[in-house]
PDB file of all heavy atoms in Angstrom:
ATOM      1  N   TRP X 312       3.367  11.148   0.265  1.00  0.00           N
ATOM      2  CA  TRP X 312       4.528  11.960   0.642  1.00  0.00           C
ATOM      3  C   TRP X 312       4.845  12.941  -0.493  1.00  0.00           C
ATOM      4  O   TRP X 312       5.080  14.122  -0.241  1.00  0.00           O
ATOM      5  CB  TRP X 312       5.718  11.052   0.954  1.00  0.00           C
ATOM      6  CG  TRP X 312       6.945  11.798   1.338  1.00  0.00           C
ATOM      7  CD1 TRP X 312       7.252  12.305   2.569  1.00  0.00           C
ATOM      8  CD2 TRP X 312       8.042  12.141   0.486  1.00  0.00           C
ATOM      9  NE1 TRP X 312       8.460  12.935   2.535  1.00  0.00           N
ATOM     10  CE2 TRP X 312       8.974  12.847   1.262  1.00  0.00           C
ATOM     11  CE3 TRP X 312       8.324  11.900  -0.851  1.00  0.00           C
ATOM     12  CZ2 TRP X 312      10.169  13.332   0.744  1.00  0.00           C
ATOM     13  CZ3 TRP X 312       9.513  12.386  -1.367  1.00  0.00           C
ATOM     14  CH2 TRP X 312      10.417  13.091  -0.586  1.00  0.00           C
ATOM     15  N   LEU X 313       4.849  12.440  -1.733  1.00  0.00           N
ATOM     16  CA  LEU X 313       5.104  13.311  -2.883  1.00  0.00           C
ATOM     17  C   LEU X 313       4.027  14.392  -2.993  1.00  0.00           C
ATOM     18  O   LEU X 313       4.330  15.551  -3.288  1.00  0.00           O
ATOM     19  CB  LEU X 313       5.143  12.485  -4.173  1.00  0.00           C
ATOM     20  CG  LEU X 313       6.346  11.573  -4.354  1.00  0.00           C
ATOM     21  CD1 LEU X 313       6.119  10.608  -5.504  1.00  0.00           C
ATOM     22  CD2 LEU X 313       7.608  12.393  -4.565  1.00  0.00           C
ATOM     23  N   TRP X 314       2.769  14.007  -2.766  1.00  0.00           N
ATOM     24  CA  TRP X 314       1.654  14.956  -2.829  1.00  0.00           C
ATOM     25  C   TRP X 314       1.864  16.093  -1.832  1.00  0.00           C
ATOM     26  O   TRP X 314       1.692  17.263  -2.161  1.00  0.00           O
ATOM     27  CB  TRP X 314       0.352  14.208  -2.547  1.00  0.00           C
ATOM     28  CG  TRP X 314      -0.889  15.026  -2.704  1.00  0.00           C
ATOM     29  CD1 TRP X 314      -1.543  15.732  -1.734  1.00  0.00           C
ATOM     30  CD2 TRP X 314      -1.641  15.221  -3.914  1.00  0.00           C
ATOM     31  NE1 TRP X 314      -2.650  16.339  -2.262  1.00  0.00           N
ATOM     32  CE2 TRP X 314      -2.734  16.043  -3.598  1.00  0.00           C
ATOM     33  CE3 TRP X 314      -1.493  14.768  -5.213  1.00  0.00           C
ATOM     34  CZ2 TRP X 314      -3.667  16.419  -4.548  1.00  0.00           C
ATOM     35  CZ3 TRP X 314      -2.432  15.141  -6.155  1.00  0.00           C
ATOM     36  CH2 TRP X 314      -3.500  15.958  -5.822  1.00  0.00           C
ATOM     37  N   LYS X 315       2.256  15.736  -0.608  1.00  0.00           N
ATOM     38  CA  LYS X 315       2.478  16.761   0.425  1.00  0.00           C
ATOM     39  C   LYS X 315       3.692  17.636   0.116  1.00  0.00           C
ATOM     40  O   LYS X 315       3.750  18.778   0.555  1.00  0.00           O
ATOM     41  CB  LYS X 315       2.636  16.111   1.796  1.00  0.00           C
ATOM     42  CG  LYS X 315       1.344  15.493   2.299  1.00  0.00           C
ATOM     43  CD  LYS X 315       1.366  15.057   3.745  1.00  0.00           C
ATOM     44  CE  LYS X 315       2.643  14.443   4.201  1.00  0.00           C
ATOM     45  NZ  LYS X 315       2.602  13.913   5.561  1.00  0.00           N
ATOM     46  N   LYS X 316       4.649  17.101  -0.667  1.00  0.00           N
ATOM     47  CA  LYS X 316       5.837  17.886  -1.065  1.00  0.00           C
ATOM     48  C   LYS X 316       5.563  18.703  -2.325  1.00  0.00           C
ATOM     49  O   LYS X 316       6.474  19.265  -2.918  1.00  0.00           O
ATOM     50  CB  LYS X 316       7.032  16.962  -1.309  1.00  0.00           C
ATOM     51  CG  LYS X 316       7.506  16.233  -0.084  1.00  0.00           C
ATOM     52  CD  LYS X 316       8.069  17.198   0.913  1.00  0.00           C
ATOM     53  CE  LYS X 316       8.608  16.454   2.122  1.00  0.00           C
ATOM     54  NZ  LYS X 316       9.008  17.358   3.178  1.00  0.00           N
ATOM     55  N   ASN X 317       4.294  18.758  -2.742  1.00  0.00           N
ATOM     56  CA  ASN X 317       3.827  19.516  -3.898  1.00  0.00           C
ATOM     57  C   ASN X 317       4.326  18.947  -5.230  1.00  0.00           C
ATOM     58  O   ASN X 317       4.383  19.662  -6.224  1.00  0.00           O
ATOM     59  CB  ASN X 317       4.173  21.006  -3.776  1.00  0.00           C
ATOM     60  CG  ASN X 317       3.147  21.873  -4.462  1.00  0.00           C
ATOM     61  OD1 ASN X 317       1.987  21.491  -4.566  1.00  0.00           O
ATOM     62  ND2 ASN X 317       3.567  23.030  -4.927  1.00  0.00           N
ATOM     63  N   ALA X 318       4.669  17.673  -5.265  1.00  0.00           N
ATOM     64  CA  ALA X 318       5.013  16.989  -6.515  1.00  0.00           C
ATOM     65  C   ALA X 318       3.747  16.254  -6.982  1.00  0.00           C
ATOM     66  O   ALA X 318       3.727  15.033  -7.111  1.00  0.00           O
ATOM     67  CB  ALA X 318       6.173  16.037  -6.291  1.00  0.00           C
ATOM     68  N   LYS X 319       2.701  17.025  -7.196  1.00  0.00           N
ATOM     69  CA  LYS X 319       1.380  16.449  -7.444  1.00  0.00           C
ATOM     70  C   LYS X 319       1.313  15.659  -8.750  1.00  0.00           C
ATOM     71  O   LYS X 319       0.696  14.606  -8.803  1.00  0.00           O
ATOM     72  CB  LYS X 319       0.322  17.538  -7.388  1.00  0.00           C
ATOM     73  CG  LYS X 319       0.216  18.133  -5.983  1.00  0.00           C
ATOM     74  CD  LYS X 319      -0.954  19.043  -5.857  1.00  0.00           C
ATOM     75  CE  LYS X 319      -1.101  19.729  -4.540  1.00  0.00           C
ATOM     76  NZ  LYS X 319      -0.549  19.219  -3.357  1.00  0.00           N
ATOM     77  N   TRP X 320       1.939  16.157  -9.819  1.00  0.00           N
ATOM     78  CA  TRP X 320       1.910  15.417 -11.074  1.00  0.00           C
ATOM     79  C   TRP X 320       2.571  14.049 -10.917  1.00  0.00           C
ATOM     80  O   TRP X 320       2.021  13.028 -11.342  1.00  0.00           O
ATOM     81  CB  TRP X 320       2.618  16.205 -12.191  1.00  0.00           C
ATOM     82  CG  TRP X 320       2.632  15.438 -13.474  1.00  0.00           C
ATOM     83  CD1 TRP X 320       1.662  15.424 -14.431  1.00  0.00           C
ATOM     84  CD2 TRP X 320       3.639  14.534 -13.914  1.00  0.00           C
ATOM     85  NE1 TRP X 320       2.018  14.564 -15.453  1.00  0.00           N
ATOM     86  CE2 TRP X 320       3.226  14.009 -15.155  1.00  0.00           C
ATOM     87  CE3 TRP X 320       4.856  14.113 -13.388  1.00  0.00           C
ATOM     88  CZ2 TRP X 320       3.987  13.092 -15.879  1.00  0.00           C
ATOM     89  CZ3 TRP X 320       5.615  13.193 -14.099  1.00  0.00           C
ATOM     90  CH2 TRP X 320       5.179  12.694 -15.327  1.00  0.00           C
ATOM     91  N   LEU X 321       3.732  14.025 -10.300  1.00  0.00           N
ATOM     92  CA  LEU X 321       4.435  12.760 -10.096  1.00  0.00           C
ATOM     93  C   LEU X 321       3.622  11.827  -9.206  1.00  0.00           C
ATOM     94  O   LEU X 321       3.513  10.626  -9.471  1.00  0.00           O
ATOM     95  CB  LEU X 321       5.820  13.010  -9.501  1.00  0.00           C
ATOM     96  CG  LEU X 321       6.694  11.778  -9.288  1.00  0.00           C
ATOM     97  CD1 LEU X 321       6.900  11.013 -10.585  1.00  0.00           C
ATOM     98  CD2 LEU X 321       8.026  12.200  -8.681  1.00  0.00           C
ATOM     99  N   ALA X 322       3.030  12.370  -8.154  1.00  0.00           N
ATOM    100  CA  ALA X 322       2.202  11.565  -7.254  1.00  0.00           C
ATOM    101  C   ALA X 322       1.033  10.946  -8.002  1.00  0.00           C
ATOM    102  O   ALA X 322       0.724   9.762  -7.835  1.00  0.00           O
ATOM    103  CB  ALA X 322       1.703  12.414  -6.085  1.00  0.00           C
ATOM    104  N   ARG X 323       0.360  11.722  -8.849  1.00  0.00           N
ATOM    105  CA  ARG X 323      -0.784  11.200  -9.617  1.00  0.00           C
ATOM    106  C   ARG X 323      -0.326  10.168 -10.650  1.00  0.00           C
ATOM    107  O   ARG X 323      -0.987   9.165 -10.873  1.00  0.00           O
ATOM    108  CB  ARG X 323      -1.525  12.339 -10.331  1.00  0.00           C
ATOM    109  CG  ARG X 323      -2.340  13.221  -9.423  1.00  0.00           C
ATOM    110  CD  ARG X 323      -3.499  12.464  -8.824  1.00  0.00           C
ATOM    111  NE  ARG X 323      -4.324  11.862  -9.843  1.00  0.00           N
ATOM    112  CZ  ARG X 323      -5.620  12.035  -9.976  1.00  0.00           C
ATOM    113  NH1 ARG X 323      -6.269  12.776  -9.118  1.00  0.00           N
ATOM    114  NH2 ARG X 323      -6.286  11.447 -10.942  1.00  0.00           N
ATOM    115  N   THR X 324       0.808  10.404 -11.276  1.00  0.00           N
ATOM    116  CA  THR X 324       1.330   9.474 -12.276  1.00  0.00           C
ATOM    117  C   THR X 324       1.692   8.144 -11.627  1.00  0.00           C
ATOM    118  O   THR X 324       1.336   7.072 -12.131  1.00  0.00           O
ATOM    119  CB  THR X 324       2.547  10.084 -12.999  1.00  0.00           C
ATOM    120  OG1 THR X 324       2.133  11.299 -13.634  1.00  0.00           O
ATOM    121  CG2 THR X 324       3.107   9.136 -14.036  1.00  0.00           C
ATOM    122  N   LEU X 325       2.373   8.193 -10.506  1.00  0.00           N
ATOM    123  CA  LEU X 325       2.716   6.961  -9.794  1.00  0.00           C
ATOM    124  C   LEU X 325       1.469   6.284  -9.234  1.00  0.00           C
ATOM    125  O   LEU X 325       1.414   5.053  -9.149  1.00  0.00           O
ATOM    126  CB  LEU X 325       3.727   7.244  -8.684  1.00  0.00           C
ATOM    127  CG  LEU X 325       5.118   7.643  -9.171  1.00  0.00           C
ATOM    128  CD1 LEU X 325       6.009   7.983  -7.984  1.00  0.00           C
ATOM    129  CD2 LEU X 325       5.744   6.552 -10.023  1.00  0.00           C
ATOM    130  N   SER X 326       0.466   7.066  -8.875  1.00  0.00           N
ATOM    131  CA  SER X 326      -0.798   6.504  -8.411  1.00  0.00           C
ATOM    132  C   SER X 326      -1.484   5.723  -9.530  1.00  0.00           C
ATOM    133  O   SER X 326      -2.049   4.649  -9.297  1.00  0.00           O
ATOM    134  CB  SER X 326      -1.704   7.629  -7.906  1.00  0.00           C
ATOM    135  OG  SER X 326      -2.952   7.135  -7.545  1.00  0.00           O
ATOM    136  N   THR X 327      -1.421   6.241 -10.740  1.00  0.00           N
ATOM    137  CA  THR X 327      -1.983   5.530 -11.894  1.00  0.00           C
ATOM    138  C   THR X 327      -1.233   4.225 -12.132  1.00  0.00           C
ATOM    139  O   THR X 327      -1.834   3.182 -12.394  1.00  0.00           O
ATOM    140  CB  THR X 327      -1.921   6.426 -13.146  1.00  0.00           C
ATOM    141  OG1 THR X 327      -2.700   7.588 -12.895  1.00  0.00           O
ATOM    142  CG2 THR X 327      -2.454   5.702 -14.372  1.00  0.00           C
ATOM    143  N   PHE X 328       0.090   4.268 -12.038  1.00  0.00           N
ATOM    144  CA  PHE X 328       0.893   3.048 -12.169  1.00  0.00           C
ATOM    145  C   PHE X 328       0.525   2.044 -11.082  1.00  0.00           C
ATOM    146  O   PHE X 328       0.370   0.850 -11.340  1.00  0.00           O
ATOM    147  CB  PHE X 328       2.384   3.385 -12.104  1.00  0.00           C
ATOM    148  CG  PHE X 328       3.261   2.173 -12.053  1.00  0.00           C
ATOM    149  CD1 PHE X 328       3.446   1.386 -13.180  1.00  0.00           C
ATOM    150  CD2 PHE X 328       3.888   1.819 -10.874  1.00  0.00           C
ATOM    151  CE1 PHE X 328       4.251   0.254 -13.134  1.00  0.00           C
ATOM    152  CE2 PHE X 328       4.693   0.693 -10.814  1.00  0.00           C
ATOM    153  CZ  PHE X 328       4.869  -0.094 -11.951  1.00  0.00           C
ATOM    154  N   SER X 329       0.355   2.535  -9.866  1.00  0.00           N
ATOM    155  CA  SER X 329      -0.026   1.669  -8.749  1.00  0.00           C
ATOM    156  C   SER X 329      -1.370   1.002  -9.004  1.00  0.00           C
ATOM    157  O   SER X 329      -1.548  -0.192  -8.732  1.00  0.00           O
ATOM    158  CB  SER X 329      -0.080   2.486  -7.451  1.00  0.00           C
ATOM    159  OG  SER X 329      -0.551   1.707  -6.396  1.00  0.00           O
TER     160      SER X 329
END
Side-chain angles (χ1 to χ4, degrees):
W312 180 82
L313 289 168
W314 185 268
K315 291 191 321 186
K316 295 294 183 187
N317 211 28
K319 295 189 183 336
W320 178 87
L321 182 57
R323 287 293 305 235
T324 300
L325 291 176
S326 176
T327 299
F328 173 73
S329 175

